[in-house]
Amino acid sequence: MIEERFRARNILPYLLLLLLTSPLLVGYLWLIIATFSRRTFGLQPDSLTLANWQFLWNFDTWQGSIWAVTLNTLLLAAGLAIVVVALSSLAGYALSRLDFIGRRAFMSLTLVLHAFPSVTLLIAIYFVLRELRLYNTIAGVILVKVALEMPLGMWLMKGFFDNVPWDIERAAMVDGASRLRIWWQIVLPLIRPGIAALAIFSFISGWNEFLIPYTFILSRQRATLAVYLQQLVGDSRFVDYGQVAAIGLFQMLPVLLFFLFTQRYLLNIYAGGVKGGA
Amino acid sequence: MAESTVHPPSKALVAQPTLSHRLRASATALLFLLPAAALVITFFIVPVIITLYISMTDMSTSTFSDPNFIGLQNYSRMFRSGAMGKIVRNTVFYVGTTLALFNVGMALVIALLTTHIPRRSGAFFRALWLLPRITPSVVYIMIWKYLAADAPFGVFNQVLQPLGIAPENWVLAAPWTMVILVNGFIGASFGMIIFTSAIESIPESYLHASRVDGATALQTIRYVILPLLRWPLLFVMTYQTLSLMTSFEQILLLTDGGPGYYTTETWALQAYHRALSNYFGNVNFGLGAALAAVLVLIGVILAIVYLRVFRFGELVQEPKIETL
């Protein structure tokens, strides 16, 4: 009797969790099943096939090769990661180590911007991009996205620099090394894990980005995976859910791999307040 | 200074920074900050000014090259327009319901459940809940659309039909439920992470004491854990209110404000539609900017309030090396 009650109490949280999580479990299960079937009825495939994955080698699909689109996406994601890490680690160092005039103001501004709803600025950013002749370019999308991620990046990097003991740095400074050299040769190597975390986070966020390229890129040749996929979903002639699911899973794979291996680092960044999707 | 290289000097021993020190530090800092500052100015500061300016002009597709300054007419137009009442009600309903049910409610339930079971299983379930956040939004919405699809295909219908509920395309039949589910399953993970780390930092002895006193699990949650979560709860609530109010990507992809006349159109989505997409054949930058400006204003106010409430001063502590 007692044993039974004990067991029920242990199983209850699992049952509740399974119940609450079930839409996610079923949804992602469907995604995987759908990519290998002609048609699905609920979670049941009618017949298994690899035809949905033909887009990987068949370049005659009506919108051109998937690899060109993938390359654009890679360019956006890698570009974003590199620029965000470079600029955030420069700025983060100054915020952590230098007592410059206007430091408090700059810090407050960074924090306010971090909480600021940046999507509300898309309309105005359209005009800025046109003025800079960066409208309809991947470079423009990268710059916008970098700017929107800068507040979080600077803030994270400042935190990592704050944790580095500064005795080594002082020794180098007494020996006459410049700040820039100290930053590059001494401090940066010490915060490698932080750099990796921010780089992976930015890469994923660039790889997944939909709204900014959707709004600011018109040419099909410059489309990214998210935009390409949305065009497939939105096109009424094209209702082949199996293939759409396959391309979706294809876009998700690199993100999943990163997530599996770096979850612990990423968790900290997501806890730091990521916007979007509410 | 020389002997202090071993031990960090206490504040009293460090020479007060002189003006020349600070000027030199400022010159160096400029070098480090310039690239970041340039981007922040170009894509935050300038756009805020542009938003305010355009919101006071009649700029649209037809008057693009030569907009007229019309003062606050866009704002009065915005509040007089018949659709605005519906959009405001939609926004309040959407933010309130999603926040209560998922961003705070579900987040708290998941955090409590996953910290109650063994560590590894808990981490597994939390990882599942993080999936929506890292899934590309287009793929994520596609999954939900298929779950909700028409009769022989959709999963929801297969579950609901045996219960005697007629099959539907649920995105069209129950658009609000779908919008809230879709956003809620993404939003819950933020609070989940914050609450989990808050719960895990509660000293084990508190929970022991409560158990020794004979409290049930629910009583422990009510009288020990929840009171200790007051600050994280408040933080998640304010922060996510702002996120929900301004995010529209998922709604854009799921229903695009429909089905029908403004059924699920929210304030942020309306600003986007007015200014950046051909909703009615004529793009109206002025009105769109006015709609955005209101959100910008709310955003700035909330951001400042929330930074003051959540002990901003501690975050801006003085730098470690200042006098060298």
Side-chain angles (χ1 to χ4, degrees), chain A residues 28 42 97 111 162 208 244 278, chain B residues 134-135 142 153 187 312 320-321:
Chain A
Y28 286 96
R97 291 292 201 262
L111 274 177
D162 282 347
N208 286 351
V244 174
Chain B
I134 60 152
T135 306
M142 184 184 74
F153 310 117
F312 168 66
K320 287 176 182 162
I321 293 190

Side-chain angles (χ1 to χ4, degrees), chain B residues 195-212:
Chain B
F195 298 150
T196 300
S197 59
I199 293 172
E200 279 175 348
S201 68
I202 294 175
E204 194 70 23
S205 56
Y206 286 29
L207 305 177
H208 265 298
S210 147
R211 215 172 303 148
V212 169

Side-chain angles (χ1 to χ4, degrees), chain A residues 2-273:
Chain A
I2 290 168
E3 200 182 285
E4 229 165 75
R5 248 180 63 198
F6 185 69
R7 216 183 287 153
R9 201 176 276 173
N10 277 327
I11 288 175
L12 193 65
Y14 283 101
L15 283 180
L16 261 174
L17 272 173
L18 272 178
L19 185 72
L20 293 173
T21 319
S22 57
L24 292 178
L25 291 171
V26 172
Y28 286 96
L29 198 61
W30 169 79
L31 182 70
I32 294 165
I33 292 172
T35 60
F36 294 109
S37 40
R38 246 173 249 297
R39 183 149 242 199
T40 53
F41 301 95
L43 288 178
Q44 286 163 297
D46 65 344
S47 67
L48 295 177
T49 172
L50 278 177
N52 296 327
W53 290 92
Q54 268 178 13
F55 69 90
L56 289 178
W57 57 86
N58 183 1
F59 296 155
D60 300 330
T61 45
W62 59 284
Q63 271 192 321
S65 159
I66 188 83
W67 295 106
V69 181
T70 308
L71 192 67
N72 288 340
T73 318
L74 190 66
L75 204 65
L76 168 59
L80 179 72
I82 292 168
V83 183
V84 163
V85 166
L87 300 197
S88 311
S89 54
L90 272 171
Y93 180 81
L95 291 177
S96 167
R97 291 292 201 262
L98 295 166
D99 182 29
F100 55 91
I101 295 162
R103 176 172 177 276
R104 269 193 82 86
F106 195 85
M107 299 271 287
S108 324
L109 181 71
T110 317
L111 274 177
V112 170
L113 289 183
H114 179 32
F116 186 78
S118 32
V119 279
T120 54
L121 296 177
L122 283 186
I123 300 164
I125 287 175
Y126 164 75
F127 291 94
V128 174
L129 284 181
R130 273 172 50 102
E131 208 50 48
L132 297 174
R133 309 206 178 282
L134 286 171
Y135 182 63
N136 196 19
T137 65
I138 292 178
V141 169
I142 293 177
L143 279 185
V144 173
K145 188 77 179 139
V146 169
L148 301 189
E149 287 207 350
M150 277 311 293
L152 175 70
M154 285 190 273
W155 199 246
L156 277 173
M157 280 297 140
K158 177 196 172 287
F160 287 121
F161 285 122
D162 282 347
N163 287 330
V164 174
W166 48 280
D167 289 342
I168 320 165
E169 220 175 323
R170 278 171 62 109
M173 218 172 291
V174 170
D175 289 346
S178 75
R179 281 280 185 185
L180 206 59
R181 214 176 128 196
I182 291 170
W183 170 76
W184 176 250
Q185 286 192 332
I186 298 174
V187 195
L188 266 196
L190 290 175
I191 58 157
R192 249 184 241 134
I195 291 179
L198 181 61
I200 292 169
F201 171 80
S202 304
F203 186 92
I204 292 178
S205 131
W207 183 267
N208 286 351
E209 179 61 38
F210 166 70
L211 199 57
I212 298 174
Y214 178 72
T215 312
F216 296 133
I217 286 189
L218 299 173
S219 329
R220 282 208 160 158
Q221 306 95 284
R222 291 178 195 158
T224 59
L225 275 169
V227 177
Y228 177 87
L229 198 58
Q230 175 58 16
Q231 281 164 354
L232 288 189
V233 178
D235 194 314
S236 51
R237 286 173 301 169
F238 197 96
V239 278
D240 185 349
Y241 263 91
Q243 168 148 29
V244 174
I247 298 177
L249 191 59
F250 172 74
Q251 188 191 352
M252 232 189 119
L253 277 179
V255 179
L256 272 181
L257 286 179
F258 268 132
F259 184 60
L260 275 179
F261 292 110
T262 57
Q263 205 203 114
R264 203 171 305 159
Y265 297 105
L266 287 178
L267 220 58
N268 290 327
I269 299 190
Y270 284 107

